[in-house]
Amino acid sequence: MRETVTIARPHAKPRALTEPRWVRYTLTALALGFLALFLLIPLVAVFWEALSKGFGTYLASFHDVYAWHAIKLTLIVVAASVICNGVFGITAAWAITKFSFRGKSLLLTLIDLPFAVSPVIAGLIFVLLFGLQGVFGPWLRDHDLKMIFAVPGIVLATMFITFPFVARELIPVMQSQGTEEEEAARVLGAGGWRIFWRITLPNIKWGLLYGLILCSARAMGEFGAVSVVSGHISGRTNTLPLHIEILYNEYQFVSAFACASLLTLLALVTLVVKSLVEWHTHRIEALAEAEAFEDRPEGADSPHQPLHPHRDHP
Amino acid sequence: MPILLHKRSILPGFGLTLGFTVLYLGLLVLLPLSALVIKTLDMTWAQFWSTVTAPQVVASYKLSFGTALAAAAINVVFGLLVAWVLVRYHFYGKRFVDAMVDLPFALPTAVAGIALTSLYAPTGWIGQWLEPLGIRVVFAPLGIIVALTFISLPFVVRTVQPVLEDLGKEVEEAAASLGASRLQIFTHIILPELWPAILTGFALAFARAVGEFGSIVFISGNIPMKTEITPLLIFSKLEQFRYAEATAIGVVMLGASFILLLVINFMQRWANKRMAF
């Protein structure tokens, strides 16, 4: 039997602890106005421009060999970076949260690096490494391999930009969960893989899902780094964002915004998933708290009593 | 000197996971970064210095850091406001608004670039009202500030919001019962608690804005000496195959990023220490 625990919350706030009504309304209006100007209007503008010549023209924008190729290449790049960075994120989070070792903060700083490095520099370092004048350039040419102005370079640059996301999502989640459950499983004789699949993964799946979604959203939209290493060869090395740039510069605004609307929809899906994951984790936390409350021995505070009995303020 | 500290953990996989992590970071991050160092060492100091202090380059630093500073400052003011409204007030559609704040993290920068450019162009929805007032946004530094404000919008909100949520009501209640006005409570009690979070958000927003490329390409017009930001300068040097010059400017930017990263780490540690009290 589960009884609902209600925590009494006075509806009317004491006046000294909030602002006068007109201040509250003004501040809310200012904040919402700012967000509407910077977030909502640009969002609406993308779809408005894409559909400005009607739905037929909108759909016709995708009947284009180059657009299709750009979409396919983008999907390949996303798949490659999500798989590699997912594996990296899980192993890095495992090493960082389950053990204490020297140089951990240095490792954490390294993982944060792409957040502080300009995407153009991310592209530049791969050009310097694999370009014709680069460190491995002559060797690659002798073996007839191409990294820069080709798909491998695009994948590498995208991986560089997006590798922190899964790790950064998982580290706090695994840190807060501690190591007790895994240690118990170990003591009971479970092997490493079994501990991971049966204990750790179920605990981190929501954080992992959000990390992977965030990683794929960024991989899909990466522009600066990819722009440097791709060489903009239509039908060969153009990802969707680069294709949008070319269309825009050719004044094909409807097509440019049509492709942009596709990426915008995916961005909105990311936001929805994020909200769902947050809602889910909050619910689990609230449930765990309520259960911990119920499990207290008889004779302690009865669950019907509010946690902090509030007296109504005069 | 042992790598593993404390007693040996009974959990398996330390060697495997740390080894893989270090190998991955080594190949993906350290190796490419070392190429940057090797390329820089090819240049003489005089060459390096004349490249990174050329008038066009210095103009780009000023523009990049100036606009990023302006955008981060705008986001401190409005980020604090948005976080405050989201935590303290109740209004219809709050959860929707809360989710929307992360849009700049999820939206590709190129999409943001073309959307903002079409809005603020002289014929655009917003630009048509600013044009008669003589305010030029597109192909002007103001446009860069607008784009940078968009892409760095979530940082201050997301750093301030959790601190504001955890802030105990007790101190405010105590201050109120001692006769403090609402404004006094805000400036003397709440704001001092928020400063570390605000500064961290500012630094994160600034770091992100300085390196931004995708959205600026469209809105700035890339006029040398006027609206050419540093990442764009590096990009155009690369397109002209002037790799050494691009590398030198890249090293300067990377140095600035490292300093920012250190400052952010330091501030986060400071904030954590304060929270521990």
Side-chain angles (χ1 to χ4, degrees):
Chain A
M1 270 294 284
R2 175 172 294 150
E3 286 167 280
T4 43
V5 179
T6 46
I7 297 168
R9 183 190 282 168
H11 277 289
K13 282 189 179 176
R15 201 175 301 155
L17 289 179
T18 188
E19 289 73 39
R21 177 172 290 202
W22 69 270
V23 176
R24 292 203 307 260
Y25 283 7
T26 317
L27 291 181
T28 310
L30 266 175
L32 293 183
F34 173 75
L35 292 180
L37 181 67
F38 274 94
L39 299 181
L40 198 62
I41 297 179
L43 198 61
V44 175
V46 171
F47 292 101
W48 184 273
E49 296 275 352
L51 295 167
S52 60
K53 298 260 161 60
F55 201 67
T57 327
Y58 175 75
L59 284 182
S61 307
F62 300 113
H63 286 285
D64 175 43
V65 189
Y66 293 138
W68 265 115
H69 191 276
I71 291 171
K72 265 189 269 175
L73 180 61
T74 306
L75 290 178
I76 292 170
V77 171
V78 168
S81 16
V82 165
I83 291 169
C84 294
N85 290 333
V87 172
F88 166 77
I90 293 170
T91 49
W94 181 276
I96 285 168
T97 57
K98 304 292 177 199
F99 308 97
S100 53
F101 52 90
R102 274 173 219 285
K104 193 191 264 188
S105 54
L106 182 72
L107 199 62
L108 281 169
T109 309
L110 259 182
I111 292 177
D112 277 344
L113 194 72
F115 291 138
V117 170
S118 172
V120 176
I121 291 178
L124 167 74
I125 57 179
F126 287 104
V127 170
L128 292 179
L129 203 59
F130 298 118
L132 266 186
Q133 303 177 28
V135 182
F136 298 122
W139 186 87
L140 286 171
R141 191 189 49 204
D142 292 344
H143 290 77
D144 210 22
L145 294 168
K146 230 171 151 72
M147 297 286 279
I148 299 306
F149 305 148
V151 178
I154 298 174
V155 172
L156 273 179
T158 311
M159 272 166 63
F160 178 91
I161 294 289
T162 56
F163 80 76
F165 288 102
V166 178
R168 265 289 160 210
E169 278 305 313
L170 287 185
I171 288 168
V173 174
M174 286 169 74
Q175 204 117 51
S176 70
Q177 262 151 7
T179 54
E180 290 89 357
E181 288 182 44
E182 280 90 352
E183 278 165 1
R186 182 67 179 160
V187 169
L188 293 173
W193 282 111
R194 191 140 164 214
I195 296 177
F196 175 73
W197 286 108
R198 303 291 289 272
I199 310 281
T200 312
L201 197 61
N203 274 339
I204 62 169
K205 60 179 185 233
W206 289 102
L208 180 65
L209 175 71
Y210 181 52
L212 291 175
I213 296 264
L214 208 58
C215 176
S216 49
R218 284 303 293 264
M220 221 148 24
E222 180 46 36
F223 181 84
V226 171
S227 182
V228 171
V229 295
S230 115
H232 294 86
I233 310 163
S234 274
R236 278 180 56 201
T237 62
N238 260 352
T239 59
L240 208 46
L242 297 182
H243 186 63
I244 292 173
E245 185 199 14
I246 289 176
L247 290 172
Y248 191 84
N249 288 341
E250 287 171 352
Y251 301 103
Q252 299 187 44
F253 293 130
V254 173
S255 302
F257 278 101
C259 290
S261 72
L262 218 56
L263 290 174
T264 310
L265 280 176
L266 289 167
L268 291 176
V269 169
T270 312
L271 294 185
V272 170
V273 171
K274 186 197 178 208
S275 302
L276 286 179
V277 168
E278 271 178 0
W279 176 74
H280 190 87
T281 34
H282 277 182
R283 212 181 51 144
I284 286 178
E285 275 167 17
L287 270 178
E289 263 173 38
E291 262 165 27
F293 193 85
E294 276 180 24
D295 287 346
R296 294 198 328 180
E298 289 293 320
D301 284 331
S302 143
H304 298 290
Q305 289 285 313
L307 273 174
H308 304 286
H310 274 276
R311 277 205 193 89
D312 276 338
H313 291 267
Chain B
M1 197 168 75
I3 300 173
L4 202 60
L5 296 173
H6 305 311
K7 61 175 168 48
R8 247 192 94 78
S9 168
I10 61 163
L11 291 178
F14 176 69
L16 179 73
T17 53
L18 187 67
F20 180 77
T21 305
V22 170
L23 182 74
Y24 195 87
L25 286 176
L27 287 178
L28 195 63
V29 182
L30 294 180
L31 181 71
L33 279 179
S34 66
L36 195 71
V37 177
I38 293 169
K39 189 77 185 172
T40 319
L41 292 178
D42 277 352
M43 304 173 82
T44 65
W45 174 250
Q47 278 174 321
F48 178 82
W49 188 250
S50 69
T51 307
V52 298
T53 55
Q56 194 186 353
V57 184
V58 173
S60 82
Y61 300 145
K62 281 185 191 157
L63 183 70
S64 269
F65 285 90
T67 49
L69 210 60
I74 292 172
N75 276 325
V76 162
V77 175
F78 284 96
L80 182 61
L81 178 69
V82 170
W84 179 266
V85 167
L86 283 177
V87 173
R88 292 288 170 108
Y89 301 156
H90 296 278
F91 53 89
Y92 189 72
K94 191 162 110 167
R95 271 186 56 186
F96 169 77
V97 173
D98 195 21
M100 278 286 290
V101 169
D102 279 330
L103 181 72
F105 284 161
L107 195 72
T109 50
V111 176
I114 60 171
L116 290 172
T117 309
S118 76
L119 280 178
Y120 288 92
T123 51
W125 289 353
I126 301 174
Q128 59 178 323
W129 303 102
L130 300 174
E131 190 74 359
L133 303 170
I135 302 171
R136 207 48 216 262
V137 181
V138 169
F139 301 161
L142 194 57
I144 302 175
I145 295 176
V146 168
L148 293 182
T149 306
F150 173 86
I151 58 118
S152 61
L153 191 144
F155 287 102
V156 177
V157 182
R158 291 303 184 223
T159 50
V160 171
Q161 209 176 4
V163 182
L164 206 52
E165 270 165 7
D166 287 344
L167 216 57
K169 279 267 179 190
E170 294 82 5
V171 196
E172 281 177 58
E173 282 166 355
S177 70
L178 291 171
S181 75
R182 200 55 205 154
L183 194 66
Q184 277 176 321
I185 292 176
F186 180 75
T187 52
H188 285 78
I189 309 262
I190 300 172
L191 209 52
E193 290 291 321
L194 295 182
W195 269 123
I198 293 174
L199 285 176
T200 307
F202 173 83
L204 285 170
F206 182 73
R208 174 86 168 81
V210 163
E212 174 56 17
F213 177 77
S215 55
I216 310 299
V217 177
F218 299 99
I219 207 163
S220 80
N222 314 328
I223 312 156
M225 304 295 287
K226 280 207 181 107
T227 61
E228 193 176 45
I229 54 164
T230 312
L232 231 141
L233 192 64
I234 297 175
F235 185 79
S236 48
K237 297 266 186 215
L238 278 174
E239 283 205 314
Q240 299 156 20
F241 298 104
R242 288 149 81 171
Y243 288 158
E245 288 175 36
T247 309
I249 304 167
V251 166
V252 172
M253 277 211 76
L254 207 60
S257 304
F258 271 127
I259 294 169
L260 269 172
L261 210 62
L262 284 177
V263 170
I264 293 167
N265 270 345
F266 174 76
M267 277 196 298
Q268 269 164 350
R269 222 166 280 171
W270 178 50
N272 284 340
K273 241 186 228 166
R274 277 180 61 109
M275 293 300 280
F277 278 114

